[in-house]
Amino acid sequence: MRDLKEYELDVVDVAWCPGCGDFQIMEALKKALAEQDLKPSDVLLASGIGQAAKLPHFMKAHFFNGLHGRSISNATGFRMANPTMPVLAIGGDGDMYGEGGNHFLHTIRRNPNITNLVHNNMVYGLTKGQASPTSPLGFQTPTTPEGVVNAPVNPIALAVSLGASFVARAFSGDVEQTKETIKAAMQHEGYALVDIFQPCVSFNKVNTFKWFKDHTYYLEESYDPWDRTAALEKAFEQERFALGILYRCERPVFEYQLAPYGERREALYKGRPDPGKVQRFIEETYV
């Protein structure tokens, strides 16, 4: 196991509020990397915009920060270029299910070997408290003073119904279990969603740490995550929300089906150019 200090930056100005669940998710991620003996240079973190998307700003690893909602499409490209490097796409519920909703759907269809961590606090924290795609009905915000009227996105049901090959839910208040879930997601071959409940202490006074603790439970040991019907039943539970690996299946991995790979598992930059192939392609196509 590596020292967690290896993932710390020398100088960093953390912008999160004291008590924010993002701190616990970052701790769980560092522990997950350390226990897998991954150096900061072994991992790439991709993010978009938002408080959760700032996580890669605050720790040492390869890092790409792009447009709002684009982290999983960028992460897919990074895996295509280098299928040996673990890639994680990190952001909040607004970034992933709102601005990035279209990418979320089509990434599930492709099944790239990436891990998608979604900090789900049911509110937009960076822009000071607007309703997000997962805000519950009736949730009052400065822009919805009479309460949210749009039905919330159910990311677990959506992911399972589309055939995501790994779907899990965690709670930031339990760092050890969140770490274990992140590790399992990273070790899965294919797209892995980890939707992580976390309190926003500044802009969500409803879904607090206590609320999440009172409204969640861990899946029993006898639960079968390979049972899609059971996963959908869990996804639609309303009173209390199941934590753990809700669904998994085996599907072909996107990047391994691309022409440069097949059985080959090395970064594109390590490939040896073959001018003869280019010559034959030109002759067969244009001559």
Side-chain angles (χ1 to χ4, degrees):
M1 178 173 169
R2 308 191 78 85
D3 190 331
L4 295 188
K5 291 183 178 179
E6 291 186 46
Y7 309 102
E8 295 179 0
L9 298 170
D10 295 333
V11 179
V12 60
D13 182 16
V14 178
W16 295 328
C17 304
C20 176
D22 287 338
F23 286 101
Q24 295 162 313
I25 296 173
M26 184 163 67
E27 182 183 356
L29 174 58
K30 288 178 180 177
K31 288 186 172 183
L33 299 180
E35 291 188 11
Q36 294 176 92
D37 197 29
L38 291 168
K39 297 181 293 187
S41 59
D42 290 337
V43 181
L44 190 148
L45 310 179
S47 70
I49 302 298
Q51 292 291 5
K54 291 179 181 176
L55 186 153
H57 300 203
F58 305 145
M59 60 181 284
K60 189 181 293 182
H62 293 296
F63 164 40
F64 181 88
N65 186 209
L67 297 174
H68 211 346
R70 304 297 186 267
S71 62
I72 47 179
S73 53
N74 290 324
T76 300
F78 299 135
R79 273 297 297 194
M80 290 169 62
N82 187 351
T84 65
M85 176 171 284
V87 177
L88 295 97
I90 301 172
D93 43 294
D95 190 45
M96 295 294 178
Y97 306 141
E99 284 80 2
N102 188 46
H103 294 285
F104 176 64
L105 301 182
H106 296 288
T107 300
I108 291 173
R109 292 177 56 225
R110 295 186 183 101
N111 197 37
N113 195 357
I114 64 172
T115 302
N116 188 189
L117 305 185
V118 183
H119 303 210
N120 187 355
N121 57 16
M122 306 177 183
V123 75
Y124 280 97
L126 182 68
T127 46
K128 303 189 183 305
Q130 296 96 332
S132 85
T134 56
S135 295
L137 287 170
F139 183 68
Q140 293 181 306
T141 75
T143 55
T144 53
E146 296 182 356
V148 169
V149 296
N150 295 329
V153 168
N154 183 331
I156 301 297
L158 190 56
V160 173
S161 64
L162 287 172
S165 55
F166 183 102
V167 183
R169 184 191 278 134
F171 170 42
S172 67
D174 189 338
V175 172
E176 288 303 308
Q177 281 301 316
T178 300
K179 172 207 67 179
E180 290 299 325
T181 305
I182 293 173
K183 282 172 57 181
M186 292 183 66
Q187 290 161 11
H188 171 74
E189 282 226 328
Y191 172 75
L193 169 68
V194 185
D195 185 80
I196 308 173
F197 283 154
Q198 58 134 153
C200 175
V201 295
S202 294
F203 300 110
N204 188 340
K205 304 300 184 185
V206 177
N207 307 108
T208 61
F209 178 90
K210 184 178 186 308
W211 187 93
F212 283 122
K213 194 170 179 57
D214 291 344
H215 289 79
T216 56
Y217 70 96
Y218 281 100
L219 292 165
E220 55 273 19
E221 290 188 2
S222 59
Y223 177 78
D224 179 9
W226 300 88
D227 185 336
R228 196 174 186 182
T229 301
L232 281 172
E233 289 175 354
K234 291 292 182 186
F236 284 112
E237 290 179 339
Q238 296 294 314
E239 297 300 321
R240 297 176 71 224
F241 302 96
L243 302 175
I245 302 172
L246 286 98
Y247 181 64
R248 64 191 315 167
C249 66
E250 293 182 354
R251 285 179 52 200
V253 174
F254 175 64
E255 58 270 23
Y256 299 161
Q257 300 176 77
L258 302 178
Y261 295 117
E263 297 300 319
R264 177 173 168 259
R265 297 287 185 272
E266 61 180 359
L268 287 179
Y269 73 87
K270 292 185 176 178
R272 295 181 178 177
D274 183 353
K277 282 189 176 179
V278 177
Q279 181 67 32
R280 289 193 293 276
F281 173 78
I282 293 173
E283 292 174 353
E284 293 170 1
T285 307
Y286 300 105
V287 178

